Amino acid sequence: MSSKSFEFNASNLEAWQKAATKSAPGGDVNALNWKTPDGIVVKPLYTAADTANLPYANTLPGFEPFLRGPQATMYAVRPWTIRQYAGFSTAEESNAFYRKALAAGGQGVSVAFDLATHRGYDSDHPRVTGDVGKAGVAIDSVEDMKILFDQIPLDKVSVSMTMNGAVLPVLAGYVVAAEEQGVSQDKLSGTIQNDILKEFMVRNTYIYPPEPSMKIIGDIIEYTAKHMPKFNSISISGYHMQEAGANQALEMAFTLADGKEYVKTAIAKGMDVDAFAGRLSFFWAVGMNFYLEIAKMRAARLLWCRIMKGFDAKNPKSLMLRTHSQTSGWSLTEQDPYNNVVRTTIEAMAAVFGGTQSLHTNSFDEAIALPTEFSARIARNTQLIIQEETHITNVIDPWAGSFMMESLTQEMADKSWAIIEEVEAMGGMTKAVGSGWAKLKIEAAAAEKQARIDSGKDVIVGVNKYKLAKEDPIETLSIDNVRVRDGQIERLQAIRASRDSAKVQAALDALSASAESGQGNLLDLSIQAVRLRATVGEVSDALEKTFGRHRADTQKVTGVYAAAYDDGENVGDTMEYWNQLKADIVAFADAQGRRPRVMISKLGQDGHDRGAKVVATAFADLGYDVDMGPLFQTPEECARQAIENDVHAVGVSTLAAGHKTLVPAIIAELKKQGADDIIVFVGGVIPRQDYDILYEAGVKGIYGPGTPIPVSAKDVLEQIKKALG
């Protein structure tokens, strides 16, 4: 072996290109390039030349612009916080889970609320019959909150709460529960999500329109800065954007632009930027795009520092982007579900390499049902193993200096900054959200991704490649929604019977008056009302009297899904299947005098509409006539619209475990209104053991996660033909 050291130069690179050309497809080295969904070209080889002119490749952790981490020593001194995001129907069951998780190595509590709570309804409200206790814990009052945190010392355990719409009564309930546990507000640590702009784009658990919602956020930032100095007043969330279909650059750009808007809102209230900016935090999704996720988290810190300097922030803590991360729920598959353990591990590694401050790892069964205690333990142990066994924590920013990672970090930053500038040109994120532009950008990305999977361009192991011949059932968690709701109603009745109703009404009237006048702090007034045992629904209603309840316009993108089939790259079975199905739909229209018409609907309070929007887009691109029902319909409203629109079929998209209640209800309602010739099909997260219940109720097709949309579209067409005779 020669002792002469290697020197990189243009001649060496040329030699590599010649060698690589021999084995590259078609003799073209450029064929080895990978174009990411963000439009970034990732090369197969990076060299010192790629980082020679990068301005931040040699910075240090804990110092501006914090690209390498917000803390100087990162995990070498203190690993990230292990969180377990969970809510199990009742406060009692959730409390038992949190206490077990903390005893088994968990380091913080992360609360998932049911959809009735998110949308500001008490459990006895008629619109939430199928939602109470599903997909999270039902909280109606401070009495529920006290049970939720029973024997959990709130002066020692940080609490993260994913809450946006009903943020005022929920945060107030937490504060009052702590007070009655003997913990003052200044001792409370944790985070409230309080990120309403992303709700209007993707998750849809809003209550009030954008303008009054921003007023609520400003009041919370103001109150917590004065009274809760250890508590993070907002967690600016990209997670739900990526789950809804955004690529990494879009997720980062929109999230940082949201953050910028919240800072403007607080400054407009007369607050000094350094008085609150240090308590802002972020929340990222971490999916299977391993390199991009690491680069995204590094680039986000760089850009946030740039943004905050634009607000003349002086305190280094105001310039730091600190983040919680969660592994992707969307990447989890119903098929061959134990593969999800591997997926979650890879995503957790990306979050750690990217420098997250806390992390939740999803359970492998979450594409099928709510996680069991068994699956939750595996998810938690995934983090413990990374922390305790791998020695990854001993090195600060292990990817620093990587030719590829430093280059990719800069490219991600540049890509996202261009989108942020586009948003600013529109007048900021509130305007971009209000126009519907931001939402449509995400929905287009979602449709394109689904088409790439369905056409086989993107491989999902166990779904469109390496599929099992037979799927073995796994044990899943089932929630008795009726039992939970009955228990909540009983507790509500007891609270209302025992409180001073006149004082409660006076407190609620003060809230309504503040919302009307703009005077006073809404969180302060909510805490006063909750101390008197006002409920979540009552506080929400008091504000709704002035603010109103937001109703979104339903739009859908067109042509994006079809483009993945029509771009000339498809060969073989998928293209043939697509073209034949389009021809079958044309033949149906010729025979019937109109195209097959379907209505895609969301029932109950489930606002996760990625699946519904993608299915609507794909069906329309195939030639179906597609109606979109508005969010949050009752079965009665859905049936009425289906009949008025003269549809052949109603497709119900469900992700929040309400299918056993709501789907039979829509079938019964169609029959009651004399339209039982309209067929009903269902897609989404549905455990296999529930299939027979739905089929017995009259469902004609069930399409779980991973079902190619053209396959479901063909089956729906056949079911419509059968119904027509």
Side-chain angles (χ1 to χ4, degrees), residues 445-463:
E448 182 182 8
K449 176 64 177 177
Q450 189 61 50
R452 291 187 65 84
I453 293 169
D454 289 347
S455 64
K457 289 178 181 175
D458 288 358
V459 172
I460 309 294
V461 173
V463 175

Side-chain angles (χ1 to χ4, degrees), residues 2 25 102 104 118 134-135 238 265 282 290 304 330 357 370 377 381 401 462 519 532 536 616 618 659 680 687 723:
S2 169
L102 290 167
H118 273 288
K134 295 286 193 179
T265 299
F282 288 78
F290 186 76
W304 185 244
W330 185 83
Q357 276 60 71
L370 294 170
R377 182 173 61 84
N381 285 350
Q519 302 301 308
L532 296 167
V536 168
H659 52 273
V680 174

Side-chain angles (χ1 to χ4, degrees), residues 302-345:
L302 169 67
L303 294 186
W304 185 244
C305 183
R306 184 187 299 176
I307 287 168
M308 294 310 292
K309 277 185 166 294
F311 287 110
D312 202 27
K314 302 289 193 301
N315 190 326
K317 289 185 177 179
S318 300
L319 308 176
M320 294 177 187
L321 184 151
R322 295 162 301 108
T323 191
H324 172 67
S325 301
Q326 181 173 337
T327 59
S328 174
W330 185 83
S331 71
L332 305 179
T333 65
E334 177 189 35
Q335 297 86 346
D336 209 357
Y338 289 106
N339 289 343
N340 295 332
V341 176
V342 181
R343 291 187 178 101
T344 295
T345 303

Side-chain angles (χ1 to χ4, degrees), residues 347-368:
E347 292 166 352
M349 295 277 280
V352 170
F353 283 138
T356 192
Q357 276 60 71
S358 66
L359 177 63
H360 165 83
T361 32
N362 285 331
S363 301
F364 71 82
D365 50 359
E366 290 188 45
I368 304 165

Side-chain angles (χ1 to χ4, degrees), residues 492-541:
L492 275 167
Q493 290 170 340
I495 289 167
R496 288 170 181 153
S498 62
R499 69 192 185 179
D500 187 326
S501 297
K503 287 184 177 179
V504 171
Q505 191 56 55
L508 294 173
D509 290 343
L511 258 176
S512 298
S514 176
E516 177 73 39
S517 68
Q519 302 301 308
N521 185 285
L522 292 174
L523 178 55
D524 185 24
L525 291 166
S526 296
I527 291 170
Q528 292 177 41
V530 168
R531 280 195 189 111
L532 296 167
R533 276 19 187 199
T535 67
V536 168
E538 289 165 345
V539 170
S540 299
D541 288 347

